């Protein structure tokens, strides 16, 4: 099998002597796949950065609707290759072809791209702000360099570095993208890059608008995110890798947005347990086992108040976890990583109620696992007991009273989400009012009577949260247009002559419908017209 | 003279055995001032952080209009002590009582506080976003801990850590403030803290809403900005200190906003030099000598195209710089720091045209200085030739052609501002169109035919820019409401019952006039009402 090509500055290149190579694995069969992928060199990174920077400069001269055209054409191209994409992603990740890949994740991905295109056409995302008294005008504009995107293993489509949410947001905000494939699904990513590059050519965008590498040694990764020619970085993946990239980017003053880890605590209050314990148990199992538990928003930590109802609840939960076969994991490290995480939990006072072992079978799998511990133990070792097990694993914490539920919440790290299940009437209102203020500050998205795994692509979504869930509590990775602001620089124009202003900042509203903040009022009108 | 008290958790405390002490200096007289200020200990920092965190939790339970009441009461209190503030600030900084301190900076400061109060009452700053189809709602909310503010030496009022722009923005966004006084004007800052604390008590806010320390050893500074209980940090000051604090905060994943250094390049294009060279020279001198050149937005770097007109221009500039007496500098290190910076410039090929020496006299001063260098020299050593001299010092770069002007712009670091002076007709349009795209990506605020020192407090202002001017290109330190977003966390509510939502996210518009982004449209209406 010949070496797979990378996409650098508009050409697909098959390196003759790469510095190293790797192969992906079919996790459903535990088989190494035949395609050989190159590890890219420092020289490749230099060339990619220079080309990305040049593309950024060229792009600024083109009308923004060409970017929208590209995003839509790319979405069409993806649909044209849907069968191939689903087949490859299934082969590389073991995620089910249906409904997950074909019916859920692929349409979500093209929908994101089309929403991004619509935002680019609409232009309101850039928050054009005009003060007529001083003739000072500002808006968000592109970063002046390409955006590096590192995608995770668990969403081969919707968070793919060459098609997913960060890709769409970075492009829609007017930046080229340098995609670093997740090494779990390089073949899937290559198809996306082909479909994207065809759309680049069809719509006349700069040829380095989309570039692709499969793997970098750590030093090259650090160089990429910290280089003067990079605009910013979007990273979704492990805390271990994310923190190292963050350090490199931070040191150079380059923005980096990371989505790293989260145990997504769910507080199940006493009233709702009395009311509908079995239902909540079923919702927990459904959410926790989605994608074999490999969701960033997987509910891995549940907090209840100790008592007979919560004993019933954990039995109901454990029964469901035990009765269902575990799903196939994404890669060969999955079972070991889950076992390691459970090892940390049990070492610090958690007990396995069910599961806790690698599952036999043709694919990589780990038995669905429920653990329990006390509020006292949790507060003694909050860091260890928040260890994320990336699978269908839930740790249930039994707090002795409401004060201890508060203390458990207070000892938590930043999370993407946090939830409170409460009685349908007012029975849990007092406890809710005591726990919610503490939990609120620890999470990006607060849920009520709902499990966290669904992440709707709507403007109000926050797929973000305080560190270490992400690197900054003010940004979201999902939800257009907000996610685009991560990849914008605030550009102010002071006393600049009218014909030299970007269209969005001229007196005349460029489309007749751009929302702009003019003299303190949001309006779609022209400046000077009441 | 007895030890001056710090303000910790609502009490003014005079430490009996501080770990160290310092005194400020009257720079106009080169005299050490008699008041003795304590350096605060690690234990003090622990107590301040805990109190700030507790105040943040209490604050969330209070109606936001109380915060607005506080900001307005504080502005009133400042006006009530205006004479005293002007006198102290003049004594500690040598900035003129009139018009600078009394007529310009003090009203600007109270105006900022009142604008912040208005934004708090208005509530539109929080960007409430509601999607009715999914019942997901989000807005910016407080950070859950106090904001540490480090103020600079050059604006004892408008950027004071206990009264200035960062203070106003952090408080208005719903966070307590821990003020670290600039050690150049601790007495001025103490008066602000007194006036603020009186307003805290008068309006019933948590007693640790405003706390004050004067000085910290580096280790305590790092602890403050990186502590789990801190919300975020706003820093204005030297690059040297800023970068160290940034490293500590970044490592802990705590937001830090820095405004560090900028030479604010101004490109004076050939056409405008032919048209009105003397006028531009006068504008340059006026802007560059404002506040004795000690403005973050001071135009320290001018780029012209070599030729007879630019030789005339530099002579006009040099004449004005030489003919005017230098202003008093803010502190005793001023003359030495300027001399050091000029030493770096001349070592890398710049020549002194006028000035270049410490000025004799009763106050700390340095002669107004003009330097020149070639575009070739600049491109060879762009870092060294962008060394900021914090005084009335301008380096004029003679580029040999337009391509070299572009190259000079391309070799620049991030700056707060960048400007282009151009012919009043179209004579400079071609050059403008070649230089502007390069400069645009290097600066936060782009000016046309205007010097950069004026920083209007309007919503469209961007007092920010790419690193190392600041730590992130997407935020502004001046301009309400945008500056408040630095001190907000994105809080999303998913399926949360109506009565548990913050008022800004309920169906009914809480004031009838909050701007909210509902189902993709900005509206002041109630949800569900077209």
């Amino acid at each position: 099998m010949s070496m797979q090509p990378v996409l650098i500055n508009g050409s697909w290149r098959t390196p003759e002597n790469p510095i190293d190579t790797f192969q992906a694995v079919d996790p459903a069969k535990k088989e190494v796949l035949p395609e050989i992928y190159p590890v890219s060199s420092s020289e490749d990174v230099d060339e990619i950065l220079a080309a990305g920077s040049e593309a950024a400069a060229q792009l600024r001269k083109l009308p923004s609707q060409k970017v929208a055209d590209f995003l839509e054409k790319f979405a069409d191209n993806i649909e044209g290759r849907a069968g191939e994409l689903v087949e490859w992603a299934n082969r590389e990740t073991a995620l089910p072809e249906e409904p997950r890949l074909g019916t859920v994740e692929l349409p979500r991905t093209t929908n994101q791209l089309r929403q991004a295109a619509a935002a680019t056409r609409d232009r309101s995302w850039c928050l054009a702000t005009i003060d007529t008294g001083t003739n000072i005008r500002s808006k968000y504009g592109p970063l002046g360099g390409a955006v590096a995107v590192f995608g995770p293993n668990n969403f081969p489509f919707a968070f793919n570095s060459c098609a997913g949410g960060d890709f769409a947001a970075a492009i829609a905000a007017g930046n080229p993208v340098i995609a670093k494939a997740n090494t779990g699904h390089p073949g899937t990513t290559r198809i996306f890059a082909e479909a994207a590059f065809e759309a680049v050519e069809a719509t006349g965008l700069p040829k380095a608008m989309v570039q692709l590498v499969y793997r970098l040694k750590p030093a090259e990764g650090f160089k990429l995110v910290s280089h003067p020619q990079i605009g910013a970085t979007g990273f979704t993946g492990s805390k271990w890798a994310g923190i190292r990239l963050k350090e490199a980017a931070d040191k150079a003053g380059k923005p980096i947005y990371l989505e790293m880890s989260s145990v997504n605590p769910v507080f199940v209050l006493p009233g709702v347990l009395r009311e509908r314990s079995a239902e909540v148990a079923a919702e927990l199992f459904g959410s926790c086992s989605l994608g074999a538990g490999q969701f960033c928003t997987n509910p891995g930590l549940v907090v209840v108040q100790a008592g007979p109802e919560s004993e019933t609840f954990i039995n109901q939960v454990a029964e469901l976890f035990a009765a269902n076969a575990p799903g196939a994991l994404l890669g060969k490290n999955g079972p070991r990583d889950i076992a390691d995480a459970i090892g940390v939990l049990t070492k610090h006072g958690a007990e396995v109620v069910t599961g806790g072992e690698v599952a036999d079978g043709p694919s990589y799998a780990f038995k669905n696992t429920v653990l329990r511990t006390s509020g006292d133990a949790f507060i003694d070792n909050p860091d260890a007991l928040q260890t994320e097990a990336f699978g269908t694993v839930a740790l249930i914490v039994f707090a002795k009273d409401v004060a201890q539920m508060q203390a458990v919440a207070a000892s938590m790290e930043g999370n993407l989400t946090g939830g409170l299940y409460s009685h349908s009437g007012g029975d849990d209102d007092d406890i809710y009012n005591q726990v919610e203020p503490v939990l609120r500050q620890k999470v990006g998205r607060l849920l009520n009577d709902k499990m966290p795994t669904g992440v709707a692509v709507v403007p109000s979504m926050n797929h973000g949260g305080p560190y270490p869930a992400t690197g900054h509590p003010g940004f979201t990775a999902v939800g257009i247009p907000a996610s685009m602001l991560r990849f914008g620089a605030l550009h102010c124009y002071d006393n600049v002559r009218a014909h030299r202003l970007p269209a969005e900042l001229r007196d005349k509203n460029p489309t007749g419908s751009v929302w702009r903040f003019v003299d303190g009022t949001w309006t779609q009108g022209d400046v000077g017209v009441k």
Side-chain angles (χ1 to χ4, degrees), chain A:
Chain A
M1 178 64 63
S2 69
M3 187 76 59
Q4 300 297 298
V6 294
L7 176 60
I8 299 183
N9 198 16
S11 67
W12 284 99
R13 299 188 196 169
T14 307
E16 288 185 18
N17 295 302
I19 59 169
D20 203 349
T21 64
F22 72 100
Q23 289 166 271
V25 166
D26 177 346
K29 296 182 184 160
K30 301 183 183 174
E31 280 176 12
V32 173
L33 292 166
E35 294 79 16
I36 297 168
Y37 296 90
V39 176
S40 292
S41 68
S42 185
E43 292 71 29
D44 288 344
V45 171
D46 285 334
E47 201 178 337
I48 287 166
L49 282 160
S53 177
E54 176 59 27
Q58 291 166 8
L59 191 60
R60 207 166 159 254
K61 296 177 194 155
L62 299 175
S64 59
Q65 57 263 36
K66 283 186 94 71
V67 171
D69 293 344
F70 160 74
L71 289 163
E72 286 163 355
K73 177 72 180 156
F74 180 30
D76 293 345
N77 289 353
I78 289 172
E79 284 165 351
R81 298 181 74 171
E84 201 183 343
L85 280 162
V86 166
E87 195 182 312
W88 269 85
N90 168 260
R91 196 170 158 233
E92 294 185 324
T93 67
L95 291 169
E97 294 198 351
E98 289 300 337
R100 164 69 189 261
L101 291 170
T103 304
V104 178
E105 199 179 332
L106 198 84
R108 179 196 176 95
T109 308
T110 50
N111 171 41
Q112 284 175 172
L113 291 165
R114 294 194 174 108
Q115 278 198 39
T120 300
R121 287 195 201 289
D122 176 76
R123 310 194 197 189
S124 303
W125 76 272
C126 73
L127 302 180
T129 302
I130 297 173
D131 293 291
T132 57
T134 53
N135 191 25
I136 298 175
R137 299 166 189 237
S138 63
K139 71 175 195 74
Y140 282 87
L143 292 164
V147 171
V149 179
F150 294 71
N153 62 351
N154 61 341
F155 278 86
F157 297 162
F159 286 82
N160 191 290
S161 57
C162 202
D166 282 356
F167 175 93
I171 297 261
N175 309 284
V177 161
I178 297 166
K180 207 294 284 174
N182 186 282
T183 51
H185 47 258
T188 306
T189 308
R190 182 190 157 176
I191 300 174
F192 278 126
E194 287 171 1
F197 187 61
E198 281 166 26
V200 164
E201 293 201 300
T203 52
L205 289 189
K207 62 184 175 175
M209 189 73 197
V210 176
Q211 301 183 90
L212 170 70
V213 294
Y214 301 103
R215 192 172 205 158
L216 299 171
K217 302 268 186 199
E220 272 62 69
F222 302 151
K223 176 176 171 175
L224 179 64
V225 304
S226 65
H227 196 276
Q229 288 180 312
I230 201 74
T233 297
F235 169 92
T236 309
S238 77
K239 191 168 158 184
W240 188 89
I243 283 177
R244 279 159 186 77
L245 289 170
K246 181 180 188 302
E247 188 178 358
D250 285 342
K251 203 160 179 175
K254 289 291 180 180
I256 184 166
Y257 304 94
L258 309 109
E259 200 239 279
M260 294 189 287
S261 75
S262 192
V263 293
N264 304 297
V266 179
F267 287 75
V268 184
L269 305 187
V272 72
L273 281 185
R274 285 192 300 274
E275 188 180 34
R276 53 187 193 100
S277 170
E279 271 176 43
V280 178
E283 287 186 39
L284 173 62
F285 174 68
S287 182
C288 192
S289 61
L290 212 61
Q294 300 161 115
F295 268 45
C296 339
T297 50
N298 186 56
L301 183 63
V302 178
V303 185
V304 296
Q305 191 173 334
E309 288 88 354
S310 46
E311 293 298 335
T312 304
F313 175 66
I314 195 171
N315 289 338
Q316 291 163 328
V317 172
E319 231 168 80
L320 286 166
F321 274 60
N324 284 278
L329 295 172
L330 291 161
K332 66 178 171 181
N333 295 336
R336 189 201 62 199
D337 289 348
I338 296 174
D340 286 353
I342 290 175
V344 175
L345 298 173
T346 52
K347 192 179 158 193
H348 292 87
E351 295 162 43
V352 173
V353 179
T354 184
E357 290 170 3
V358 172
D360 294 331
S363 63
Y364 299 112
F366 197 95
K367 288 185 181 171
N368 298 332
T369 301
V370 177
L371 300 101
R372 66 179 293 161
T373 194
S374 67
D376 287 336
F378 191 89
I379 291 164
D380 282 350
N381 282 295
D383 291 349
L385 289 168
Q386 287 174 84
T387 301
E388 184 181 14
F390 207 55
T392 305
V393 179
L395 169 62
I396 303 186
V397 179
F398 288 71
K400 60 187 171 203
D401 52 24
V402 178
Q404 195 169 61
M405 290 179 107
Q406 278 187 307
V408 167
S411 67
M412 283 177 184
E413 290 192 317
N415 274 279
L416 294 171
T417 76
L420 296 122
Y421 268 72
S422 54
H423 183 268
S424 63
D427 286 14
D428 284 323
D429 277 8
D430 281 354
I431 303 183
Y432 189 102
N433 292 337
Q434 290 175 74
V435 176
E436 189 269 355
V438 184
L439 186 62
R440 172 69 279 178
Q441 295 300 343
K442 301 287 184 175
V443 306
R445 179 164 54 113
L446 184 96
L447 298 111
N448 189 185
D449 307 327
K450 188 179 175 187
M451 286 293 162
T453 26
V455 182
V457 187
V458 292
S460 56
M461 174 50 61
N462 181 13
H463 191 61
Y467 185 86
T470 78
H472 192 294
F475 294 100
T476 176
V478 172
I480 292 162
S483 64
M484 295 164 65
L485 291 175
R486 295 176 299 159
F487 303 116
L490 185 54
H491 285 175
C492 176
Y493 295 82
D494 188 344
N495 198 46
V496 173
R497 294 185 208 169
H499 71 283
R500 294 171 172 168
L501 288 168
E504 295 81 5
L505 296 180
R506 295 184 192 175
D507 283 358
K508 184 160 176 56
N509 192 306
T511 66
S513 60
V514 180
W515 282 103
R516 307 191 295 178
F517 193 61
V518 179
D519 294 332
T521 293
W522 285 101
T523 170
Q524 290 177 298
D526 295 335
V527 172
V529 178
K530 292 282 173 192

